[in-house]
Each structure stands twice: as structure tokens, then as C-alpha cells.
Amino acid sequence: MQKANNAATQSHSRMQNTNSDELHVLWINKHADFVGGAERYIHDTVKALAEKGIKSTLLYQLDGKIHPRFTHVFNSVYPITELKTQLKNHAATVIYLHQLDHVQDIETCVHSGIASIRFYHDHKLFCLREHKYTTIGLNTCQRKTGPTCYACLGFIGRNSQHKLTLNRLGNLRAQQHSNQKLAGFIVGSQYMSQVLKQHEFDVSKTHVIPLFTTSNKSTFKLPQPRYSNQLLYVGSLMRGKGVDLLLHAIARQNKQANLLICGEGPQKEELQQLSQKLGIDTRVEFKGQCNPETLAKYYQQASALVIPSRTPETFCLTGIEALSYACPVIATRVGAIPEWLQDGVNGTLVESNNLVALSDAIREHLLHPQTTQSHTQQDIMQQYNLETHINQLLQVFHHVQRENSSHTITATSTSITEGSSHVNH
């Protein structure tokens, strides 16, 4: 496990809890259903922990989505009603926070006396627009949140009903301040650890644990020719993902190129209209949300996966999954992508929001298809696997339990000493 301050975390107990099977993890998330990458991570991780005998309870927001296909992996599931009381009643050893809307819930966890950790899946806490690219120019942003966010119109947003909202920097800073009080921070990449550091989160409490691919080896087929003109996109259909740029790049190709688009999102209809306008609608297929088995087939057939993001990706698991199936990747040089994509080895890196660079990279690949070497595929499977992630996560759980116990004991001793001094006086 990598840690931002390069200090090794050791497995320790909190009070009497010394074994993994005595852990009780209380997960807190807005939704109790598969909504995005965060929920997929939660489901797969809880399932793996359960196989080790570790108990997991889920608390979700009253306005969140819920479905048995997601909740069945938990020992128990409850909506958040009175969080302070619920934390006492469930007697968890660790609180693991994910996507949340209410800052008061963070404060409640901080003051609960239970070691509380949060996984930062996205930029929601570090950008007024949430996606870290500018409103004007659509350029990737690397700045710390501050007054310049207003200059790029970052304060203008939309709510779940797609109505305009005004986002305030003061509110965002208040959320950051509450999060900084947590016992630990988990991120999936060195890039995100730097984002936290940039926003004055304690480096000593930041743990980098790369995400994992759950690619099923049984779905691997014997080596077979790929469709030389078949490109693939997997992800959300929103402007920050740069799919509009990809459609323009496809239209610029002299050699006919086909594109499969797997995913849903608010820009879907606009992108379908754009493909018609560009005259490439017969070469672009919108497949919608695809199950893992279907994606496995596409990864093995495609000439390359294209990731044209403007948003700096906090990890980008789809790229890892493609490489696990020996599918080369063409991606923008944003966020954490350069941490796992080696230019010229397992794919190609291009500058973000640059149509010419993306078009040229696709053209070069179509003329001279890259192949991903078997050892590269094996390296991906070994480095980004579920078992490794779980082991590192358990180390962090035990580490924050130990730190939390130490602080609790110190605070208790100080209180007793002060009480004794007062009595003697």
C-alpha cells in the first residue's frame, strides 16, 4: 500500500478488537443501489469483506435510491433518520464514508468516537462545478478552489431537476473543513492525494489504495484477431468526459472507423444528434448501460478503448479493465491516467480538449494498430486486483482504529488528571 507520507501503516487493534473477523464496518452513502462507480466499488468491496467474515452495515440517505440487487451483500441496511443515535446503536468499529450531501453527517461521524474514514471518488468537494474543467473553453482545471472559480462561472450549477443553482465557495470550504477532521482519507491515486494536499488535508492521514478490476478470467478467450476499425468508449455521457470531441475525431478519419458507446448520461440525446450532424450516425452505436459480460466481449473485440476526458480522472477504472483484456487505450493526459497508462507501451496519451491530437492518435492507431503485450496484461491483473485492495484497506482500518484508541485514551487520561487536580485544589 502506498501512503502519501510514505510511512508504512501497521495492522493494530482498536480496544479489544484485534482480528479482522471482529471488525464491524458501517458504510454511509447517499444511495443503496448501483448509481455510479462509487456504488459499484462499495458492493464489490463489501462482498469481498463478507467472505473474510467481516460484518458490514449500510446507512443511506432518505432521498437515495435503494434496490435488493445492491443491498443483499450487507448484513443490515437502514435509512439515515437520526444518525447520532444510529451510530451508537450499531456499535461499529469503523465508519467508512462515501458519497454524501449533508455536511452535518460528517460532523456527527467526527464526534461519534468511532474511527471515521472517507473515500474520495470524485472532485465534488474540490470544485464548485464538481468536474474540474472550465465553463469557458472546457479546459482541464488543476487549480485549488478559490475566488478564481467564480471567474470560470463555476458557481453556476444544476440540481437533480436540471434547474440552475448558485454554488457558494463558503459552503464548499465549510465542507472541506469538516472532512479534514476525519480520522483518515482514502484515495485511489497519487493524483487525488495531491488534490487533498493542495486543499490542506493532513498528508499523514491520506492513504493511497489503487482501485481494482474484477475481470472474470473465465470470460477470457484465446487470442483472436480484433476488429481493426472498431473503437470503444465506456463511461458516462456528459461533457466532462469529452465524448463530443471523440465524435468529431471519428468524423475526421480518412479510414472508416466504427465506434461503440457504452453508457448513459445527460448528454446522450445531444451526442446522438451530433453524430447525425457529422454524418457518422451509421458508424456510431449507442449501446446504453452494458453488463460486465457484454463489456468483456467488447474489450476483447475492440481495436482500442478511447478515453477523451476533459475532467481529470481520479483513477478511471475502465482503462484498467480494458488493459486486463489486452485492449490498448488511447486517453487524454489528465488526472491519474498517466499513473497506469504508459505512452507507447500499453496505449497512447494525448493532451486533453485537443481535437487535432486525439484525431491524429486515432488515425495512427488505425493505420498501425498497437497490441498490448501479455506481460503488461499480467502486470495489470497483479497490481490492480481485489485481494490486494482488501488487504491494504484492512491495514488502514486497523491503523485508524489504533490512532483513534490512542487519542481516546489520551483524552480520557487528561480529563481524569484535570478532575483530580481540581479535587485536590
Side-chain angles (χ1 to χ4, degrees):
M1 177 188 60
Q2 297 168 301
K3 195 174 177 212
N5 65 349
N6 295 320
T9 51
Q10 302 296 324
S11 295
H12 289 279
S13 62
R14 176 180 181 268
M15 299 299 186
Q16 71 271 24
N17 297 301
T18 56
N19 299 318
S20 292
D21 58 4
E22 293 176 333
L23 279 172
H24 176 193
V25 183
L26 184 62
W27 301 71
I28 301 181
N29 191 60
K30 178 174 183 177
H31 298 290
D33 192 9
F34 292 101
V35 174
E39 287 74 28
R40 178 183 169 186
Y41 165 82
I42 292 170
H43 175 274
D44 292 345
T45 307
V46 169
K47 185 178 179 180
L49 290 173
E51 293 174 356
K52 293 181 177 291
I54 297 172
K55 181 180 179 180
S56 287
T57 297
L58 173 65
L59 296 182
Y60 66 96
Q61 291 179 195
L62 282 169
D63 59 344
K65 297 180 180 180
I66 181 170
H67 198 284
R69 64 188 173 189
F70 180 85
T71 60
H72 75 95
V73 296
F74 292 90
N75 295 89
S76 53
V77 178
Y78 304 93
I80 298 174
T81 52
E82 178 52 55
L83 184 57
K84 184 176 181 180
T85 302
Q86 289 173 297
L87 296 183
K88 290 181 179 179
N89 292 342
H90 288 294
T93 52
V94 173
I95 298 173
Y96 198 11
L97 297 141
H98 293 270
Q99 308 289 56
L100 286 173
D101 288 340
H102 309 306
V103 65
Q104 62 266 30
D105 289 344
I106 300 291
E107 290 286 347
T108 300
C109 292
V110 167
H111 298 293
S112 68
I114 305 170
S116 301
I117 315 166
R118 185 170 186 180
F119 193 117
Y120 296 92
H121 296 269
D122 52 37
H123 297 97
K124 188 173 184 179
L125 197 66
F126 309 105
C127 175
L128 284 176
R129 298 187 67 243
E130 300 183 13
H131 305 300
K132 293 290 282 187
Y133 69 93
T134 61
T135 306
I136 301 173
L138 305 181
N139 295 311
T140 303
C141 176
Q142 298 179 359
R143 293 179 176 178
K144 177 183 177 180
T145 51
T148 54
C149 297
Y150 292 117
C152 96
L153 304 182
F155 62 96
I156 301 175
R158 291 185 184 274
N159 59 21
S160 57
Q161 286 77 42
H162 303 291
K163 294 182 179 179
L164 288 177
T165 60
L166 298 180
N167 304 319
R168 296 173 55 191
L169 189 60
N171 292 340
L172 191 63
R173 284 176 168 165
Q175 292 181 49
Q176 291 173 1
H177 181 66
S178 292
N179 276 263
Q180 288 165 353
K181 302 174 188 176
L182 292 168
F185 323 119
I186 295 180
V187 292
S189 62
Q190 291 292 344
Y191 160 75
M192 273 305 287
S193 75
Q194 291 303 310
V195 171
L196 265 65
K197 180 180 179 181
Q198 182 184 44
H199 289 84
E200 299 172 7
F201 279 60
D202 189 342
V203 174
S204 68
K205 296 195 294 183
T206 303
H207 306 264
V208 179
I209 309 181
L211 296 180
F212 51 85
T213 174
T214 54
S215 300
N216 189 343
K217 292 182 180 180
S218 64
T219 63
F220 283 79
K221 297 180 180 179
L222 294 174
Q224 56 184 320
R226 294 179 177 272
Y227 300 152
S228 60
N229 64 339
Q230 183 69 72
L231 298 174
L232 177 65
Y233 170 82
V234 178
S236 300
L237 305 184
M238 56 179 58
R239 198 170 306 280
K241 294 296 185 178
V243 185
D244 57 315
L245 206 68
L246 176 55
L247 292 177
H248 280 284
I250 294 295
R252 291 167 62 99
Q253 302 307 312
N254 294 325
K255 180 179 178 181
Q256 185 167 333
N258 298 321
L259 175 65
L260 293 182
I261 297 178
C262 301
E264 296 286 349
Q267 208 187 6
K268 183 176 182 178
E269 186 176 344
E270 181 182 339
L271 292 170
Q272 289 174 325
Q273 293 174 354
L274 178 60
S275 67
Q276 293 174 353
K277 181 180 179 180
L278 294 171
I280 58 173
D281 52 302
T282 58
R283 294 190 278 137
V284 178
E285 292 186 65
F286 289 82
K287 294 292 187 179
Q289 206 71 38
C290 299
N291 61 43
E293 292 74 22
T294 300
L295 287 177
K297 180 180 71 173
Y298 290 156
Y299 284 137
Q300 292 175 90
Q301 292 176 344
S303 176
L305 173 76
V306 186
I307 305 172
S309 295
R310 296 181 174 101
T311 297
E313 298 285 352
T314 60
F315 186 80
C316 197
L317 188 58
T318 56
I320 295 296
E321 291 181 334
L323 293 177
S324 73
Y325 287 101
C327 178
V329 176
I330 300 171
T332 49
R333 195 188 306 271
V334 293
I337 290 178
E339 294 180 31
W340 51 261
L341 183 60
Q342 297 175 275
D343 193 20
V345 177
N346 53 12
T348 303
L349 287 169
V350 299
E351 296 308 309
S352 66
N353 205 33
N354 188 323
L355 176 58
V356 174
L358 182 62
S359 300
D360 289 348
I362 290 175
R363 183 178 300 109
E364 177 64 21
H365 179 80
L366 293 175
L367 291 173
H368 308 288
Q370 285 185 318
T371 57
T372 300
Q373 301 298 321
S374 59
H375 67 83
T376 302
Q377 182 183 8
Q378 292 170 1
D379 289 345
I380 289 294
M381 295 295 288
Q382 291 175 359
Q383 187 173 356
Y384 302 103
N385 66 78
L386 179 57
E387 185 65 23
T388 298
H389 183 91
I390 292 299
N391 289 338
Q392 294 174 351
L393 184 62
L394 289 174
Q395 287 184 35
V396 173
F397 283 170
H398 288 301
H399 173 72
V400 296
Q401 282 182 278
R402 181 195 64 163
E403 293 294 312
N404 189 64
S405 297
S406 176
H407 293 158
T408 300
I409 292 170
T410 300
T412 302
S413 299
T414 301
S415 177
I416 292 173
T417 301
E418 290 177 350
S420 300
S421 299
H422 178 73
V423 171
N424 292 336
H425 177 74

